[in-house]
Every structure is written in C-alpha cells, then in structure tokens.
C-alpha cells in the first residue's frame, strides 16, 4: 500500500463526483429526505419518530452509499479504466482505500447534513451529544461504501451490482433491530444478527441516543463497525477483478 497512490485515487474519485451533480445530490440529500419523510409520517406520534429516527440514521446512509459505490466501481471495470490504472504502480488495496477515503469525506458532509436536519429541524430527541451521533453516522456511511466495494467484485454489470443491494442489505435491515429489538428475535435470527455489520451500526446509534458515550458501550459497537469496514476492504482487495468478463 502506498499512501501517495491512495490519496491520488481519492482525489480522482472526488473530482469525478464533483462533475456528477446528481450523484452528489443523492449521496448528500437523499438520507435527509428519507428522514424528513419518516418525520412527516409520524408527525402525530413524535415518540415513534424518536425511536425509529436514530436507527434510520444508520440504515439510509448505508444503503445509498452501497448502491453508489458498487455501481461506480463496476463502471470503472466495464469501461476499462481499472485495467489502465493497474498498469501504474498501484495495488488493488490502494484502489479500494482511495475509493473508501473519497466516500468517507462524502460521508462526513452527508452526516453533518442529515444529523443537523434530524436534530435541529425535525426535533429528533436523543440523550447523547450531536457530535458523537455524527461520528457514528459517518462510520455507518463508510460501512455502506465498504460493503458496496466488496459486493462489486461479484458483479459483472451495473445491473447486477444493484441486484446485490437487496441480497446483502435487506436481510440486515430486517434483523438489525429497526423493526423488532434484536433481543426479542428468535434465537436463530438473533445469532444471525450478531454477525451482521448493520446490527452494530444501529446499536451504536441507539447507544448514543440513550446517552452512552463513545468511551462506554457505544465505543465497542463503533469498533466492531470499523472492523467490518476493514474486513470488507481487505476481502474486496482479494477478490477484485481488473475487468468484467
């Protein structure tokens, strides 16, 4: 791994995103739009919104980041750009880390927007601090990006990359505690949820919402999320193909 190459890849991805206004709008604004829509749905039941709003701060950014990164990476391969990049002194890990770094910076902006709107405009009630919720939201966005980079290695077309989203993300959404607390799940489903990254992303948000700091129980969940991010990037580097079939 060469930091200079990683930063160069990140700068290249950010330059591409800067020219793609629709993708940037989707990454930055869609999570806030979905949260606002949920607030509107539960406008007469603010307590329900307070219970669901926190977990949704983990779910919506992860889904959107997953779709965008998986499709973007597939586009690099199908266009032959990735093959040309690998003629340079660059490893697969450099490529994935560069992408992860670029989307991590996007996730920071995304988190600032969605957390600010949720707390200060929609009145989401949490016991913890806003900056800790922002840190967790950033990690959750990066988790979605890392999973998207990993999933793109198993797709041959952009359509197949999109198909990966329901296969990988929907089971996690169902089992992450968004609809039913994980401790109330049947034992088999609870055991499955224990090995799914989105479960810990939601637990981290819920921990902050309850007032648990990053130096207490919530810190453990955030470390698990970070570990899943590193694992996804490592597996993605091991399975990434230079071009589609």
């Amino acid at each position: 791994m060469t930091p200079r190459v990683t930063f160069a890849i990140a700068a290249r991805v950010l330059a591409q995103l800067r020219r793609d206004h629709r993708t940037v709008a989707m990454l930055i604004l869609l999570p806030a739009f979905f949260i606002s829509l949920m607030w509107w749905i539960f406008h007469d039941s603010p307590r329900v919104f307070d219970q669901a709003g926190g977990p949704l701060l983990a779910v919506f950014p992860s889904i959107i980041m997953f779709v965008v990164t998986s499709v973007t990476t597939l586009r690099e391969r199908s266009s032959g750009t990735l093959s040309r990049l690998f003629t340079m002194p660059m490893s697969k890990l450099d490529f994935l880390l560069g992408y992860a770094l670029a989307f991590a910076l996007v996730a920071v902006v995304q988190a600032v927007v969605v957390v600010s709107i949720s707390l200060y405009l929609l009145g989401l009630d949490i016991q913890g601090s806003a900056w800790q919720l922002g840190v967790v939201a950033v990690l959750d966005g990066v988790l979605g990006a890392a999973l998207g980079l990993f999933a793109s290695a198993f797709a041959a077309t952009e359509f197949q990359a999109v198909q990966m989203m329901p296969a990988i993300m929907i089971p996690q959404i169902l089992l992450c505690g968004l609809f039913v607390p994980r401790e109330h799940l049947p034992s088999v489903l609870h055991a499955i949820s224990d090995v799914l990254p989105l479960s810990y992303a939601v637990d981290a948000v819920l921990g902050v919402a309850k007032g648990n700091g990053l130096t207490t129980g919530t810190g453990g969940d955030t470390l698990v999320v970070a570990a899943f991010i590193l694992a996804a990037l490592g597996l993605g580097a091991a399975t990434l193909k230079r071009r589609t079939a």
Side-chain angles (χ1 to χ4, degrees):
M1 185 187 74
T2 306
R4 181 176 59 82
V5 175
T6 298
F7 290 138
I9 294 295
R12 175 179 168 275
V13 174
L14 290 173
Q16 289 178 324
L17 288 175
R18 196 160 47 240
R19 293 190 295 269
D20 191 348
H21 298 155
R22 284 179 295 183
T23 298
V24 172
M26 184 172 71
L27 287 169
I28 303 300
L29 300 180
L30 267 188
F33 170 76
F34 289 146
I35 289 288
S36 301
L37 185 60
M38 293 298 296
W39 170 84
W40 198 358
I41 291 171
F42 296 112
H43 181 64
D44 295 328
S45 305
R47 185 171 299 179
V48 176
F49 175 69
D50 288 338
Q51 293 174 346
L56 292 175
L57 288 177
V59 172
F60 288 151
S62 295
I63 292 174
I64 294 168
M65 282 290 197
F66 180 96
V67 173
V68 171
T69 53
S70 59
V71 170
T72 302
T73 308
L74 246 298
R75 191 174 300 162
E76 296 273 37
R77 286 168 47 204
S78 60
S79 66
T81 302
L82 187 56
S83 297
R84 293 193 295 272
L85 285 173
F86 279 124
T87 61
M88 303 165 58
M90 179 190 72
S91 69
K92 295 179 180 180
L93 186 58
D94 285 323
F95 174 79
L96 290 181
L97 286 178
Y99 259 78
L101 177 59
F103 281 100
L105 295 176
V106 174
V108 171
V109 180
Q110 181 190 71
V112 169
V113 171
V114 71
V115 170
S116 298
I117 289 176
S118 298
L119 296 182
Y120 305 119
L121 186 61
L122 305 181
L124 179 66
D125 186 21
I126 64 169
Q127 301 300 314
S129 62
W131 75 267
Q132 290 184 339
L133 185 62
V135 169
V136 174
V138 170
L139 275 178
D140 295 343
V142 177
L143 173 65
L147 292 175
L149 291 169
F150 170 63
S152 68
F154 301 95
T157 65
E158 293 179 19
F159 180 64
Q160 289 181 4
V162 173
Q163 288 177 314
M164 291 284 186
M165 193 280 287
I168 293 177
M169 299 302 291
I170 288 183
Q172 296 191 69
I173 294 171
L174 295 176
L175 299 178
C176 70
L178 180 61
F179 301 105
V180 178
R182 291 204 299 128
E183 58 269 20
H184 296 163
L185 291 171
S187 56
V188 173
L189 295 181
H190 186 275
I192 294 173
S193 74
D194 282 341
V195 297
L196 299 178
L198 199 58
S199 298
Y200 297 94
V202 169
D203 285 350
V205 172
L206 289 175
V208 172
K210 294 175 182 177
N212 299 326
L214 295 178
T215 58
T216 57
T218 302
D221 292 324
T222 57
L223 288 176
V224 173
V225 173
F228 272 113
I229 292 172
L230 294 176
L233 292 175
L235 290 171
T239 55
L240 180 66
K241 299 176 183 178
R242 300 188 176 200
R243 57 175 62 86
T244 54

